Amino acid sequence: QVQLVESGGGLVQAGGSLRLSCAASGRILSINTMGWYRQAPGKQRELVALITRGGSTNYADSVKGRFTISRDNAKNTVSLQMNSLKPEDTAVYFCKAEVLGATLVLYDYWGQGTQVTVSS
């Protein structure tokens, strides 16, 4: 079994910064793409940022230039540095990992989510 645990959410004023982290543990052979998604009240879950095992990144237009995704392959972790936060960034943030486990099959695993609230 694989678990993803996020940390780093909280309350911040507009213009401030937060750093989210996510650690994967369990029976992991390797992790392909890792990413962050978010879901605001009454809205669909949306992609925030993705990073491949090789370090290629992709960002939602709404966060480009403000957020930076990074990962540590040796530690099976992914982080999201969020700067210049806006009230519209308020959401529950989820990490996702595409994991190759002991069954040699790729599965998507999700974390439990961490709340980010940006006050105006």
Side-chain angles (χ1 to χ4, degrees):
Q1 194 60 284
V2 174
Q3 298 83 37
L4 270 62
V5 178
E6 299 116 336
S7 60
L11 173 65
V12 65
Q13 288 189 332
S17 298
L18 282 175
R19 185 177 180 85
L20 305 182
S21 296
C22 174
S25 62
R27 305 183 70 179
I28 298 170
L29 293 182
S30 67
I31 301 178
N32 289 357
T33 301
M34 304 185 81
W36 289 95
Y37 293 73
R38 66 186 181 187
Q39 188 166 17
K43 294 189 176 182
Q44 300 254 8
R45 190 173 297 188
E46 63 177 5
L47 171 68
V48 176
L50 290 174
I51 185 167
T52 68
R53 184 171 181 82
S56 297
T57 59
N58 186 34
Y59 295 92
D61 287 343
S62 59
V63 306
K64 282 180 182 176
R66 300 188 297 122
F67 291 11
T68 302
I69 189 170
S70 60
R71 67 186 284 177
D72 185 328
N73 291 333
K75 296 181 179 180
N76 290 333
T77 59
V78 61
S79 298
L80 186 69
Q81 178 66 42
M82 305 185 293
N83 298 329
S84 302
L85 282 160
K86 304 175 181 179
E88 50 264 44
D89 294 318
T90 295
V92 178
Y93 284 69
F94 299 88
C95 73
K96 189 179 87 167
E98 188 181 37
V99 177
L100 182 67
T103 59
L104 301 181
V105 177
L106 281 172
Y107 282 115
D108 285 341
Y109 290 91
W110 290 86
Q112 81 285 356
T114 185
Q115 177 70 46
V116 171
T117 303
V118 184
S119 63
S120 56

